[in-house]
Amino acid sequence: MSPYLLPPTLQGLARSEDHWPYLAQYLSLEDLGRLNCVSSDFAGASTPKMMERAALDVLRRQEREAVTAEDLQRFRFHPAARDLCRNGLPATACLQSLHLARKAIADGDLQATVAPLVPSCRMPSIDQMPLPRDGSIVCWHTGTGDIRPVRHLIRAGQAYPYVLPGGAETVPRTAHQGGIGTGRQFLAPQPDYWVLARPDHTLCVWRTDTAELTDLPLPLPRSERVRMAAVSGNGRFVAWVVQEWNGDRHLKCYDREQGRLCVDRALSDPLLCQLSVASDGTLFVGSQEQGYQFGTEGQLKVVPFLHLPGCLYGLSPDENFLIRSGVCAADGVETITLEDRLRGTDIVLPRHRPSRSTAWFARPASMAFSAMNALVAVAYHDGVIQVFDPGRGEIYSGAIFLDAEFTHSQVQMQPRINFDGFNRIHTVFRHFDGTLAVHTLHLGHSGQD
């Protein structure tokens, strides 16, 4: 673009505060960048307010939500970008934080720390709620002599007590120990719904942000045991799988808006282990051998898998991706495929690093999506962490594989991973002595935090 083709009054127009909203609606971040590259004379044309408006448009397109400046104030910015937020430019600070995190990865500027979280507990196992939406993790354990699980909310690398209402217990979305957990950090707060089971054998839906507890008008027979359950992101559809007295599995999905069961059918597959439901009522049921997809009118689609325990066939927390693991396994090393449900394209997250133990331990254990789905982190059973940039790659995402500095022989892993902003990745894991600890990967020097 030649500078002579630009209106001579552009620079003055851009600097006129009254015209910022009108000019900015026609210019993207890329446009502003090209404008600045035309000539140093136009460096002042891209004002901070224009950049903020364009940055906010980018965030809104990625998050598909009406993200506001107030929402962004809750986000954890990179330390070097916090002055931008203080100066009233939170959207710019958010994108700058992502840029700095990517630069730290490219430069190899990575630091890792490990710290105890709940040193007094003894955890025979660790579990987590399947869809933490604010960058936190809820995990629980049952120690020696305990009758009920003890729950902890893990946020920003710190543990806090967490209590469920009215003696209810959670119904997990996975029916096997060590199932792959998924989480995502959102810029705008998202409702988070859990399926709970009351002591009287009834199911209810708990909305965590408002503490609203709603019973489902479908009491369960005493002969049935709920193996797993899931709620759609909008809270409308509730799905669950029960195991009947004769061992059969029965899949049900209840439409809370219509007040009726939209799916009610038996499945002969005894290896069902994953369940998720979309906001349009589509059901995704994962087995160790194949995946089942049900429409609200009963349509069935089957996706075959390799026979591997602990596979994943379910939705990401924002329902943008159908996550499939174990589909492209080679030599016992699994990959993860993210099927973009809007674009119909696949993003493949390969495992590059050889297993630090047997092939079983090279399997993914937990994964997390950052805000904007800009970065994806995967924790494996052998202590390896890989971070992917799905926006920078064609068929295969650009993988940055990172060794998480766990001494595998001294760790009983069960890792659960999540993002804290763009530049800190926390992995909660069970230490060899049964205590709960957190590994923090700093994208950039840890002293900057």
Side-chain angles (χ1 to χ4, degrees):
M1 180 188 297
S2 169
Y4 302 106
L5 299 179
L6 295 173
T9 59
L10 178 61
Q11 193 167 7
L13 177 67
R15 288 178 174 174
S16 172
E17 187 169 352
D18 293 339
H19 291 88
W20 281 337
Y22 306 102
L23 184 58
Q25 65 182 319
Y26 299 109
L27 298 177
S28 66
L29 282 177
E30 293 79 6
D31 295 330
L32 295 175
R34 286 192 292 268
L35 180 64
N36 286 334
C37 291
V38 169
S39 168
S40 60
D41 294 337
F42 294 94
S46 301
T47 65
K49 291 292 185 181
M50 290 170 61
M51 295 292 289
E52 176 70 4
R53 171 98 177 226
L56 188 56
D57 286 343
V58 170
L59 300 183
R60 285 172 172 167
R61 287 198 301 271
Q62 294 295 325
E63 292 286 297
R64 298 187 183 87
E65 296 288 339
V67 178
T68 65
E70 290 73 21
D71 294 328
L72 294 174
Q73 297 290 343
R74 304 181 181 92
F75 188 71
R76 184 184 172 280
F77 299 103
H78 189 286
R82 288 172 185 162
D83 283 344
L84 289 170
C85 184
R86 296 187 189 103
N87 293 330
L89 304 171
T92 307
C94 186
L95 293 185
Q96 178 71 354
S97 296
L98 176 58
H99 166 74
L100 292 170
R102 283 172 166 160
K103 185 177 185 300
I105 294 173
D107 294 343
D109 185 10
L110 310 169
Q111 303 280 332
T113 58
V114 178
L117 275 177
V118 189
S120 61
C121 76
R122 293 294 181 267
M123 304 186 69
S125 65
I126 175 174
D127 205 346
Q128 97 181 60
M129 287 310 298
L131 299 177
R133 294 173 178 268
D134 62 352
S136 63
I137 290 176
V138 177
C139 64
W140 61 90
H141 65 92
T142 304
T144 303
D146 293 334
I147 299 176
R148 300 177 66 84
V150 178
R151 289 180 175 81
H152 305 279
L153 173 68
I154 313 298
R155 176 176 290 159
Q158 301 293 321
Y160 307 92
Y162 198 79
V163 180
L164 295 178
E169 290 298 330
T170 57
V171 182
R173 200 185 70 170
T174 175
H176 57 76
Q177 184 178 358
I180 304 174
T182 58
R184 185 186 190 275
Q185 187 172 20
F186 288 81
L187 292 178
Q190 300 287 303
D192 196 7
Y193 299 93
W194 296 10
V195 180
L196 303 181
R198 292 185 184 276
D200 63 359
H201 207 58
T202 59
L203 294 180
C204 53
V205 177
W206 184 37
R207 177 167 171 167
T208 60
D209 58 335
T210 62
E212 178 185 3
L213 197 62
T214 306
D215 287 340
L216 295 181
L218 297 168
L220 299 174
R222 288 288 178 179
S223 60
E224 295 181 349
R225 180 171 67 91
V226 179
R227 292 176 53 82
M228 51 189 173
V231 190
S232 60
N234 58 6
R236 174 177 173 177
F237 295 95
V238 184
W240 64 96
V241 174
V242 296
Q243 180 174 334
E244 299 173 350
W245 65 272
N246 59 358
D248 290 344
R249 269 62 170 176
H250 208 102
L251 173 66
K252 299 184 180 183
C253 184
Y254 183 75
D255 185 340
R256 299 173 67 197
E257 184 176 296
Q258 298 283 335
R260 66 180 182 89
L261 284 172
C262 52
V263 175
D264 184 8
R265 61 185 299 168
L267 291 175
S268 59
D269 191 334
L271 302 177
L272 300 182
C273 57
Q274 299 277 345
L275 178 65
S276 56
V277 56
S279 292
D280 62 1
T282 305
L283 272 171
F284 299 89
V285 188
S287 169
Q288 294 183 17
E289 294 183 329
Q290 58 195 3
Y292 304 90
Q293 180 175 328
F294 293 91
T296 54
E297 301 302 322
Q299 310 95 319
L300 172 62
K301 175 184 177 182
V302 178
V303 178
F305 288 162
L306 296 177
H307 182 79
L308 290 171
C311 66
L312 174 64
Y313 180 74
L315 294 177
S316 63
D318 59 6
E319 301 181 9
N320 286 359
F321 300 108
L322 175 62
I323 310 167
R324 296 176 287 138
S325 69
V327 180
C328 303
D331 300 327
V333 177
E334 289 192 43
T335 62
I336 296 175
T337 301
L338 304 180
E339 179 184 316
D340 192 319
R341 301 178 66 224
L342 296 178
R343 298 177 179 84
T345 57
D346 288 351
I347 300 171
V348 180
L349 310 181
R351 160 90 188 217
H352 287 298
R353 186 180 295 275
S355 174
R356 301 171 68 188
S357 182
T358 64
W360 189 94
F361 287 98
R363 295 168 47 252
S366 178
M367 63 187 302
F369 298 81
S370 76
M372 302 170 61
N373 288 329
L375 300 172
V376 182
V378 182
Y380 298 83
H381 285 284
D382 61 353
V384 170
I385 292 176
Q386 292 191 166
V387 181
F388 299 89
D389 189 344
R392 297 188 176 187
E394 297 179 358
I395 299 177
Y396 286 92
S397 170
I400 307 99
F401 39 97
L402 309 167
D403 193 324
E405 295 189 4
F406 295 140
T407 304
H408 183 267
S409 62
Q410 294 184 330
V411 175
Q412 299 176 19
M413 294 294 303
Q414 295 182 277
R416 294 293 182 259
I417 195 166
N418 66 329
F419 276 91
D420 179 17
F422 288 116
N423 68 311
R424 290 204 307 199
I425 302 173
H426 299 296
T427 305
V428 179
F429 67 98
R430 186 161 56 97
H431 204 261
F432 72 97
D433 62 359
T435 59
L436 192 66
V438 60
H439 171 278
T440 302
L441 182 65
H442 305 264
L443 307 184
H445 195 275
S446 60
Q448 296 174 345
D449 294 336

